Amino acid sequence: MENVPHPARELALIDQELTRLDARRGQLLARRSYLTAVSARPGPEPTARPVAAGATASPSAPPSAQNVLLALGGVLLTVAAIAFTLVSWGHLGIGGRSAVLTVITLAALAAPAALLRRGLSSTAEAVAAFALVLTALDAYAVYAVALPGVDGLRYTAAACAALAALWGGYGALLGRLRGPLPVAVVTAQLPPLLWSVAASAGTLGVGWALLATAAADTVVALWLAARHAAKPPRGASGRAARSLVVAAAFATAGVALLLAGWSSVPAGTPAAMAGPAALLLTGAALGLLVAWRAPEAAFVPAAGAGLASVVAVGGVVRTVVPAGWAVLGYLLCAVGLLTVVRAGLPRAVRQGFGAAGGAVTVAALPWALPSVAATLLGGATRITEIWSGAPEGTRAALGVHLASAWQVTAPLVLATAAGTLAVAYRWLPRLAAGVVPVADVRRPRAAALCGAGVLGWAAVLVVPVVGDLPYAAALAVPLGLTTVALALAVRPHAALGPAGAYTALVLALAGAAAVAPLSLATRPATLTVLAALTALFAGAAVALRTVPAQGPDGAPSLGPALGEPVRALLGCLAVGCAAALVGAATAAAGLSAGATAVALLAVPAAVALLGARLREHPVAVPVECAGAAAGLLAITPALGRPPVLALVLALCGVIAAGTAVRAERRRVAGYAATVLFVVAAWVRLAASGVSMPEAYTLPVTVAALAVGVVRRRRDPEASSWTAYGPGLGATLAPSLLAAWGDPHWARPLLLGLAALALTLAGARLRLQALLVLGGAALALVALHELAPYVVQVVGALPRWLPPALAGLLLLGVGATYEQRLRDARRVRRGLGRMR
């Protein structure tokens, strides 16, 4: 049978094959053009070896393997030359030594040229590397034989200079070699450094030598750039040498500036600072020269020049101002550098200056962090000293001791940095005009504005602790900052955007967290601050409702999708502050723990009324959960007083029952109300010393079961837990508690029979509540009755037997894990089918 494709399918296959043939033809034509061009060049003709029919040409060794072999050969020759120079040198006379070194070195230097003409470039590279090592050994031999008394560092510097010149000329002569020129560049960096060290020039002298090396490297790099622009180099050695020269210039200049900065640290007078400042300013001038002559790579030199200028000028300022003002002096110099950003300089230069100024500004901020941290976290020390009396000042209230330098300069440093970011926010659109799209500038502007707000907020926050203002000011300042931040968060300006609004919200929360524990020093301060925070958070939650989704300029703001979580957070915070306010007010009034517990229930009651107004609002659920948490907090003071606890639980049940009137809360609040009422009844019975709780619980159970039967008749789909669960639980739980403490047999027997009847009825009628509650009660009663005998048996067994039995049980369960899992699923499905 022959399968013939459909004509359309066959046509598609033919088109695909023709496309592949066309692509292959294009590749072959391109290869033919290349081979034609290569054949036209003068050079030795390759000898072709015929290949027998059916045979394949033997593949040549890959270039990587060839390079490895050549490198190993060069290393072995180098090791042999070093061994000869160091070990066998003394066996030859002066003539023999000279002859051997001269012949070997000249031969090694001349061999690469012949190898390159024959096309053996890899071999030429290996021999050239060997020749370079020989020249270094020659220099060592000359020193060891002819100049043993000369200073070693000075001779090494001179030898490095001579070798750098020799290798540079050799690399320029044989341009196809990739090694000599880079090695010459690296070696040329050593002579100035070695000469300065040999002359004991000190740190500044070494810095000047390195800076001079960097200047020479810069001149060479600029010359190579101009030459390569006019005539690009053919080989890779020229590009590698240029890259190495540029890298060497940056490295030596950077080390020189670091040495100058290190030398400026101990300078205590303007005269002592003159030397490091001169070196720094010279390095800055060199960086500006490079940035001006090479605009494509001007960012790094401009940034280095800016940093060097700030360190130089700031170092001079540091020597004439008090000790605490040094950081501010450096910061002001950085601000002065940032003003150059608006000048008519190349874009990369302005960016470098801006980066340098920003780096100095960021480096100055840690100086003020201790003051900010002390203000934010110092109030926590008042938790262990609640209402101990008003402290004399802010520092005493916070329990901190700051150095005088921080006390004076921290707000100024923060305010200067904030002003710098604010100015950057205003300048960014003008600086980026025509260079960066407007949409790309919006994010940096938002970041600058948020940073300015945070730093300005911190500058105002630390004023009381820096000035050691009175205790009232220590409370008023963070409370005022919280008010302003909340106002900006709920009614953000169009320029703030979502980032600014969220930043303001975080600052408001930080201010509230700082002032709340700080207010615990006195009763009036605590009540005032808590009342203010409650009003602020509640007002902010209400005011956030009017925030538009977009600002006037179309920028997104805290719209409905983002506003609801924030509003919920503010509402929960208002509920928490209200609960704290009620607790503080009752404690200040000297009320008992029971009265405090009852008073705290005013908060969940008010939240329940508010929830009835909010209904399906997204904020309703979080706020009501916060109110429930406040209700749980109200239970805490009454835990040690059963009558009061019963009252509090009953009142919580009333609040839950009132919430259950609403259809959307009926299920959860109804269950909660039932549980609270039942638990309240149990606690009341226990507090009254009742030994026969069944006399009180059985009538309630009978009435509840009758109501459940009526409910099931009217609604057959109703769950058995809704119909019978509350009634059964009202009797079973107190009876179980009484049975576990009853030494007689009558109560456990009757309770066990009742639980058995419930279990059988649940299984027969397929009612989940009866089966689960009856089975659980029956198991607990059986465990209570068997517990003494189990203890006796376990005590009589050897100690190794229980662990062994437990191990066997685990092994059995593990071996039949799948079967046990299927049994559990079967039981779960059976319970799930019950009502």
Side-chain angles (χ1 to χ4, degrees):
M1 182 177 180
E2 184 177 355
N3 294 325
V4 179
H6 191 273
R9 174 60 177 168
E10 186 176 3
L11 182 61
L13 293 175
I14 292 173
D15 290 340
Q16 293 176 3
E17 189 64 26
L18 290 175
T19 302
R20 284 195 292 268
L21 290 175
D22 290 340
R24 181 57 179 166
R25 185 174 184 275
Q27 294 175 359
L28 293 175
L29 290 175
R31 183 61 179 173
R32 183 180 183 279
S33 300
Y34 169 75
L35 293 176
T36 303
V38 171
S39 300
R41 298 176 186 174
E45 293 292 335
T47 59
R49 292 186 300 171
V51 181
T56 58
S58 60
S60 60
S64 57
Q66 179 186 7
N67 293 334
V68 170
L69 294 176
L70 291 173
L72 289 176
V75 170
L76 292 176
L77 286 176
T78 303
V79 171
I82 294 174
F84 170 76
T85 304
L86 298 179
V87 178
S88 301
W89 181 257
H91 299 290
L92 299 175
I94 188 62
R97 301 172 188 175
S98 302
V100 170
L101 284 176
T102 302
V103 170
I104 294 177
T105 304
L106 292 178
L109 290 174
L115 293 172
L116 289 175
R117 284 195 299 269
R118 294 181 175 274
L120 303 175
S121 57
S122 299
T123 308
E125 293 287 352
V127 176
F130 174 63
L132 299 183
V133 175
L134 284 178
T135 54
L137 292 175
D138 290 340
Y140 169 75
V142 171
Y143 172 75
V145 174
L147 302 172
V150 178
D151 182 64
L153 284 177
R154 296 179 185 274
Y155 177 80
T156 303
C160 287
L163 290 175
L166 174 63
W167 293 342
Y170 184 71
L173 182 63
L174 300 178
R176 295 173 59 185
L177 292 177
R178 291 176 295 180
L181 282 179
V183 174
V185 170
V186 174
T187 308
Q189 313 304 312
L190 300 177
L193 175 63
L194 295 176
W195 274 324
S196 62
V197 174
S200 300
T203 304
L204 283 180
V206 173
W208 280 110
L210 291 174
L211 190 60
T213 306
D217 291 334
T218 301
V219 173
V220 173
L222 294 176
W223 175 75
L224 288 176
R227 181 182 177 185
H228 292 173
K231 184 180 179 181
R234 294 183 180 180
S237 60
R239 291 188 296 269
R242 182 190 175 191
S243 301
L244 272 177
V245 169
V246 173
F250 280 117
T252 52
V255 175
L257 294 180
L258 287 176
L259 291 177
W262 181 261
S263 300
S264 68
V265 173
T269 62
M273 186 61 199
L279 180 56
L280 288 167
L281 293 177
T282 305
L286 179 61
L288 288 178
L289 174 63
V290 175
W292 199 269
R293 294 293 302 273
E296 69 280 359
F299 177 78
V300 176
L307 287 174
S309 302
V310 170
V311 174
V313 180
V316 175
V317 174
R318 176 180 57 82
T319 59
V320 297
V321 298
W325 294 78
V327 174
L328 185 61
Y330 283 108
L331 183 58
L332 292 177
C333 293
V335 173
L337 180 65
L338 290 175
T339 58
V340 185
V341 173
R342 297 192 65 183
L345 298 176
R347 177 189 173 192
V349 176
R350 289 187 282 116
Q351 290 179 344
F353 282 170
V360 175
T361 303
V362 172
L365 292 179
W367 182 262
L369 287 182
S371 299
V372 179
T375 306
L376 289 176
L377 305 177
T381 59
R382 310 302 308 178
I383 296 178
T384 58
E385 302 176 1
I386 298 178
W387 295 347
S388 58
E392 296 181 357
T394 302
R395 296 180 197 168
L398 296 174
V400 296
H401 302 282
L402 298 178
S404 59
W406 292 343
Q407 295 168 8
V408 176
T409 60
L412 298 177
V413 169
L414 292 170
T416 303
T420 302
L421 288 177
V423 173
Y425 168 79
R426 295 292 302 273
W427 283 359
L428 276 175
R430 299 178 183 178
L431 295 176
V435 180
V436 180
V438 178
D440 295 340
V441 182
R442 181 175 298 174
R443 184 172 297 176
R445 291 193 73 202
L449 186 60
C450 293
V454 171
L455 293 176
W457 177 86
V460 178
L461 182 68
V462 300
V463 169
V465 69
V466 168
D468 198 15
L469 300 182
Y471 177 64
L475 297 177
V477 169
L479 198 59
L481 289 175
T482 302
T483 304
V484 174
L486 277 178
L488 292 176
V490 300
R491 296 289 184 91
H493 189 268
L496 290 178
Y502 277 117
T503 302
L505 178 63
V506 172
L507 293 179
L509 297 180
V515 72
L518 187 61
S519 66
L520 297 177
T522 62
R523 291 179 176 86
T526 303
L527 298 177
T528 302
V529 170
L530 289 177
L533 291 179
T534 303
L536 286 175
F537 287 132
V542 175
L544 189 62
R545 185 179 306 170
T546 60
V547 175
Q550 287 186 345
D553 60 347
S557 182
L558 285 174
L562 298 177
E564 300 306 332
V566 174
R567 189 181 295 113
L569 174 63
L570 294 174
C572 294
L573 290 174
V575 172
C577 291
L581 176 61
V582 173
T586 55
L591 300 181
S592 62
T596 300
V598 175
L600 283 173
L601 292 178
V603 176
V607 172
L609 295 176
L610 179 63
R613 179 178 178 83
L614 294 175
R615 293 289 180 179
E616 296 293 339
H617 198 280
V619 182
V621 174
V623 172
E624 290 183 38
C625 290
L632 295 177
L633 180 65
I635 297 175
T636 304
L639 288 177
R641 300 167 179 83
V644 178
L645 179 60
L647 175 62
V648 172
L649 289 172
L651 292 177
C652 290
V654 171
I655 297 173
T659 305
V661 175
R662 297 158 49 193
E664 67 275 7
R665 300 287 185 266
R666 183 167 300 162
R667 184 177 182 86
V668 176
Y671 285 130
T674 302
V675 172
L676 288 170
F677 282 135
V678 170
V679 175
W682 296 343
V683 172
R684 181 69 261 180
L685 292 175
S688 301
V690 175
S691 60
M692 294 291 292
E694 291 83 3
Y696 299 91
T697 59
L698 277 177
V700 176
T701 297
V702 172
L705 291 177
V707 174
V709 171
V710 174
R711 170 73 183 278
R712 289 275 296 175
R713 287 181 178 178
R714 292 183 178 181
D715 184 13
E717 298 296 328
S719 172
S720 61
W721 290 98
T722 305
Y724 307 122
L728 294 175
T731 295
L732 288 177
S735 298
L736 279 172
L737 292 176
W740 272 80
D742 193 347
H744 304 289
W745 58 270
R747 187 193 302 272
L749 177 60
L750 295 176
L751 181 60
L753 292 175
L756 178 61
L758 286 176
T759 304
L760 295 176
R764 177 70 179 82
L765 301 175
R766 303 184 65 80
L767 297 177
Q768 189 179 112
L770 274 66
L771 179 62
V772 173
L773 292 177
L778 182 61
L780 290 175
V781 171
L783 179 63
H784 173 266
E785 295 302 316
L786 294 176
Y789 304 102
V790 173
V791 171
Q792 292 178 3
V793 171
V794 171
L797 293 176
R799 293 188 177 183
W800 57 266
L801 188 58
L805 294 176
L808 291 176
L809 177 62
L810 291 177
L811 289 176
V813 173
T816 60
Y817 175 77
E818 295 294 336
Q819 181 62 36
R820 302 287 80 76
L821 191 61
R822 285 193 294 269
D823 295 342
R825 289 172 180 171
R826 190 180 303 112
V827 172
R828 186 183 64 181
R829 287 195 297 269
L831 287 174
R833 286 193 294 268
M834 295 182 178
R835 289 293 178 185

